[in-house]
Amino acid sequence: MKFLIIGGGISGPATALFLARAGHTVEVFDRVLDMQDVGAGVTLMENGLRVLRRLGILDEVVRAGNPCEFVELRTFDGGRRRGRRRRRRQGVDDDEEYEDHYDEEPDENGDGDEGDVVARFAIARRDGLTPVNVLRTALTRALSRALTAAGVFFHHDKQLTGIAAVPPAARRPSNNNGGGVRALFQDGTWADGDVLVGADGIHSAVRGAVFPGCAGPAPSGYVGYLGVSPFDPGYGWPSSRGLHYFTDCTAGAGRSGLLMRASETHCHWAVYESCAGGGGGGGSGSSTHSGGSSSNNSGGGHSPTLRHDEWRPFGDVAAERRRVAAVAAGWGYPPAFEPTIASSQRVVPVTVYDMPALPSWHNGRDVVLVGDAKHAVLPFVGQGTSVALEDADVLCALLEELLPRGIAPAVAFRMYQGLRERRVRMIAEASRVQARRQHATTAVGAKVGRWSLRLAAFHAALTGGSLNSDEVLAYDGREVVQKMLRRKGYI
């Protein structure tokens, strides 16, 4: 069969690679002119690494990244830090009356100028798989090289404008689902195939064409910036082998940050702020989207400091990184953030979008959605990329088993949604809860979030668990598919 993959990010190429190795004809189409450096860093947990191992690119990705052995959550008091800076500017020495909880050196509990440790979770490791932080660019390049080796053609500058049925005279004789699908592009060209896979992200054109009446993504209530910088041990990071989340415990601040080393030479940083109005709740998941200024107009009481309308793609990076570093310093972020941001080679604004649940992930015939095109996960639990890879793994495992038996793709699509829907909603909701903990905009909410994190850490210590439960990390899509097919009598 011939498959058309719309979207060249992560889930699209992963799907294409599985299908090509199963003997299908596959073409990938992406709207960008060139797959240049985009995004920043991603965390791949055990469940995602398992898929990369099946794709044959695990070793390459691990070599390009940096081990992630734990997740650490810290609080910092931005209000006190701002007060201390103000007093120093005024020439007033700190004394006991004004002493805050930031010391120049960490104390015996690990607390210091980089913030107070609220929770620290070891990340479970199985099957010899150690979670890894890696630059998104390194992951997409590994997928691209594998696609080239598999003979998959990648079409650039192809913006999808519509989907239609293939005219009867042009239908492929190999088609076994009684039709054919045509992808229409903005440049006036088209491509015909037996199945079209929509892997074109949170603002999916495929989803809009298949489900034109469904509500699309909307701002979730969180905005921010992320970037890539050279890694320098002198910046005062807590550690280089973990995933470090920071939450401003100032009453009503609604701010957070992230630091992670993503390669031998580079690191990823992010700063986020809550802007009331989006709410950060409801729907089936969320994702980040670069660019735009819609997040500044979401209404509500908490006005975001970050102004995305001041950013321009491929603009003055030096000026932008100085401005964002100054914003982080003005918020009272721990000192490691300012030099890290100020040395950035890439600065990207993000609006975090929430997406309502879709009634179906396919059209019941020849179009199916994967990755952020059908669901998305807030960037606060380190599972977004791994969940997208799981989608590709499960969908292709079903197609590999059913198509040789003459079973229509639509049957595989229904099974795919049935196997994946509950799990995706569970992880998306967990990410939404974590976001509320880290971005409370009231004093009560900040205290509740802080104590809930401490309780989660205490429970993990008692049970020997980790931040991501066994239910999340031990997931193996191929095993799930095999069990289901045996139960239904297909194999």
Side-chain angles (χ1 to χ4, degrees):
M1 296 185 72
K2 182 177 180 180
F3 287 80
L4 309 178
I5 310 294
I6 309 299
I10 293 175
S11 61
T15 302
L17 190 54
F18 276 130
L19 293 170
R21 290 178 176 172
H24 298 288
T25 301
V26 187
E27 294 185 53
V28 180
F29 302 82
D30 198 274
R31 63 183 178 84
V32 301
L33 181 61
D34 182 27
M35 294 300 289
Q36 52 204 320
D37 288 352
V38 294
V42 298
T43 298
L44 290 163
M45 296 293 185
E46 175 195 340
N47 48 318
L49 295 174
R50 194 171 287 113
V51 181
L52 295 186
R53 184 164 59 188
R54 290 198 177 102
L55 290 169
I57 62 173
L58 174 63
D59 291 343
E60 181 179 355
V61 173
V62 169
R63 284 195 302 269
N66 191 64
C68 181
E69 299 174 352
F70 61 89
V71 176
E72 192 171 70
L73 301 109
R74 293 172 176 257
T75 60
F76 64 96
D77 194 325
R80 291 187 177 184
R81 287 185 59 82
R82 291 191 295 272
R84 185 171 66 179
R85 291 186 180 203
R86 183 171 59 252
R87 293 191 299 277
R88 287 177 176 173
R89 287 197 304 268
Q90 295 170 350
V92 178
D93 292 332
D94 284 344
D95 54 27
E96 291 185 3
E97 180 180 357
Y98 294 107
E99 191 67 32
D100 62 35
H101 69 274
Y102 289 94
D103 307 313
E104 294 303 320
E105 298 293 336
D107 63 21
E108 64 273 14
N109 296 318
D111 301 344
D113 209 36
E114 69 273 12
D116 296 338
V117 177
V118 174
R120 182 183 175 106
F121 302 87
I123 300 178
R125 283 169 281 182
R126 302 172 186 80
D127 301 335
L129 298 172
T130 299
V132 63
N133 298 324
V134 66
L135 294 179
R136 181 184 174 93
T137 299
L139 176 56
T140 57
R141 286 177 179 169
L143 286 166
S144 179
R145 283 190 284 267
L147 286 177
T148 300
V152 176
F153 195 80
F154 200 120
H155 302 267
H156 297 281
D157 198 21
K158 291 292 184 180
Q159 175 65 57
L160 186 83
T161 57
I163 297 173
V166 175
R171 289 179 182 171
R172 292 164 44 86
S174 62
N175 183 276
N176 72 350
N177 67 333
V181 60
R182 172 168 289 182
L184 307 172
F185 301 104
Q186 194 172 40
D187 60 4
T189 62
W190 68 84
D192 292 344
D194 300 314
V195 172
L196 185 148
V197 179
D200 50 343
I202 188 75
H203 297 285
S204 171
V206 175
R207 186 184 64 242
V210 176
F211 303 112
C214 289
S220 66
Y222 307 108
V223 299
Y225 281 82
L226 53 83
V228 174
S229 305
F231 178 76
D232 187 336
Y235 290 163
W237 281 37
S239 169
S240 64
R241 298 178 71 86
L243 188 60
H244 303 277
Y245 289 103
F246 297 81
T247 298
D248 190 346
C249 63
T250 308
R255 295 166 181 156
S256 75
L258 167 69
L259 293 174
M260 73 180 194
R261 187 173 181 178
S263 74
E264 190 70 25
T265 57
H266 288 81
C267 60
H268 162 68
W269 59 266
V271 292
Y272 293 99
E273 184 177 22
S274 172
C275 50
S284 64
S286 305
S287 183
T288 53
H289 171 68
S290 302
S293 58
S294 62
S295 59
N296 295 306
N297 302 313
S298 57
H302 190 73
S303 176
T305 305
L306 300 174
R307 294 181 53 80
H308 291 179
D309 53 335
E310 296 178 12
W311 180 86
R312 295 292 181 270
F314 309 108
D316 190 340
V317 175
E320 187 66 9
R321 68 192 182 196
R322 286 194 299 268
R323 188 184 69 80
V324 178
V327 169
W331 283 355
Y333 268 49
F337 276 87
E338 191 171 353
T340 300
I341 296 173
S343 63
S344 297
Q345 298 172 338
R346 189 182 315 139
V347 179
V348 182
V350 293
T351 299
V352 183
Y353 281 85
D354 198 9
M355 193 167 72
L358 292 176
S360 178
W361 296 356
H362 57 88
N363 69 347
R365 187 174 60 256
D366 49 23
V367 180
V368 64
L369 303 175
V370 297
D372 285 357
K374 62 171 179 59
H375 68 257
V377 178
L378 274 160
F380 304 111
V381 293
Q383 275 292 332
T385 302
S386 295
V387 169
L389 288 168
E390 288 177 4
D391 281 350
D393 194 25
V394 171
L395 175 62
C396 293
L398 287 164
L399 291 170
E400 289 168 18
E401 290 287 350
L402 298 179
L403 292 183
R405 294 172 167 80
I407 299 173
V411 176
F413 299 164
R414 289 193 293 271
M415 292 180 178
Y416 159 67
Q417 182 171 352
L419 289 175
R420 297 288 297 152
E421 195 165 19
R422 175 187 170 275
R423 175 175 172 81
V424 167
R425 290 192 182 190
M426 178 265 293
I427 294 175
E429 181 57 26
S431 72
R432 199 173 297 119
V433 169
Q434 184 71 2
R436 289 195 292 266
R437 288 171 174 169
Q438 292 184 229
H439 301 90
T441 55
T442 66
V444 172
K447 289 183 179 180
V448 170
R450 194 156 59 248
W451 278 105
S452 65
L453 290 172
R454 292 186 186 276
L455 287 173
F458 179 69
H459 179 266
L462 287 178
T463 61
S466 63
L467 178 65
N468 286 289
S469 67
D470 286 352
E471 183 181 7
V472 173
L473 295 180
Y475 182 85
D476 187 324
R478 298 274 164 159
E479 288 186 1
V480 171
V481 168
Q482 291 294 311
K483 288 179 181 178
M484 187 272 293
L485 292 178
R486 282 195 292 268
R487 188 174 67 251
K488 290 182 175 291
Y490 285 95
I491 57 176

